[in-house]
Amino acid sequence: MKSLRKGPTGVGKTLETYLGIKENNINLPDLEGAELKAHRYNSDNMITLFTFNRGAWIMDPLEAVKRYGTKDINGRLGLYFTMSFTQNSAGLYLYLENDAVSVRHIDGNVLVRWKFSDLQEQFNNKIPALVLVYARSEFRGDDEYFEFYKALLLKGTTKDILKESIKNGVILIDLRLHDKGTMARNHGTGFRVHEKDLPLIFSMSEVIA
């Protein structure tokens, strides 16, 4: 199938158009509420699964920015980090507990803490089911063509899956907030994953095409 749009979103646009889907969901009785995602084979693209901050911040976000933020090119303090279990340049790192994951500073302060039960609820509310369609692509001149060759139905997750996925770096946690004077402007902590790793974070994976 010839791509109906140039650029990285062409694969999704082409698939949805040929399936007659106007919105990014599938209206079939067995797949109610499922999202559709097209993935180029060997692509390293990432997607945001969801954002989550509700009740998670232990330290006041503005205080956290003022204490540990770094300046952008405009001199504005912010916390824009992809977190890991190794401390970053600001002294911040992820810490894994039995029931939660937190961002801490080497001075001992805990900035924010997410319970795995809350993350599981957010995940299942945002993505109750996902149809992941794999595509091979090739260019013929300036035009890209796709061969859609496999589809997986992915459903649900568990606290243990999320814990292991964060522990192993499959799910990445992005802090995204900055100083806005009297408050911190928080764009929502992003929980992201590489498209190719999506089957790893769901409880059920079934080949449907």
Side-chain angles (χ1 to χ4, degrees), residues 81-96 101-106 166-169 172-173 175:
F81 298 119
T82 296
M83 298 303 306
S84 75
F85 291 95
T86 302
Q87 72 181 58
N88 63 16
S89 59
L92 300 173
Y93 62 96
L94 289 179
Y95 182 83
L96 201 65
V101 61
S102 57
V103 173
R104 302 187 176 204
H105 191 267
I106 55 175
I166 293 172
K167 178 182 177 181
N168 296 328
L172 299 178
I173 300 176
L175 295 181

Side-chain angles (χ1 to χ4, degrees), residues 73-180:
I73 58 174
N74 298 316
R76 183 181 64 184
L77 279 177
L79 292 174
Y80 287 90
F81 298 119
T82 296
M83 298 303 306
S84 75
F85 291 95
T86 302
Q87 72 181 58
N88 63 16
S89 59
L92 300 173
Y93 62 96
L94 289 179
Y95 182 83
L96 201 65
E97 307 169 46
N98 286 332
D99 63 342
V101 61
S102 57
V103 173
R104 302 187 176 204
H105 191 267
I106 55 175
D107 64 11
N109 280 323
V110 179
L111 281 68
V112 55
R113 181 176 182 269
W114 299 274
K115 294 181 180 179
F116 292 120
S117 57
D118 292 336
L119 296 180
Q120 178 188 9
E121 180 182 1
Q122 183 76 347
F123 184 106
N124 288 329
N125 285 338
K126 289 289 185 180
I127 319 173
L130 177 71
V131 175
L132 180 63
V133 181
Y134 293 83
R136 298 183 182 95
S137 69
E138 67 176 30
F139 277 90
R140 302 173 188 174
D142 293 332
D143 297 321
E144 188 175 16
Y145 284 77
F146 300 111
E147 176 196 8
F148 298 100
Y149 66 94
K150 183 172 71 172
L152 298 180
L153 173 61
L154 308 171
K155 285 186 175 181
T157 195
T158 66
K159 292 181 290 185
D160 288 338
I161 289 174
L162 294 176
K163 180 178 180 178
E164 287 302 307
S165 296
I166 293 172
K167 178 182 177 181
N168 296 328
V170 175
I171 293 178
L172 299 178
I173 300 176
D174 287 352
L175 295 181
R176 303 184 296 197
L177 64 159
H178 64 260
D179 184 353
K180 202 179 177 182

Side-chain angles (χ1 to χ4, degrees), residues 54-74:
R54 186 182 70 249
W57 280 85
I58 308 298
M59 179 178 288
D60 178 77
L62 180 58
E63 181 183 353
V65 170
K66 289 185 178 298
R67 281 196 185 194
Y68 310 121
T70 58
K71 291 184 178 181
D72 62 17
I73 58 174
N74 298 316

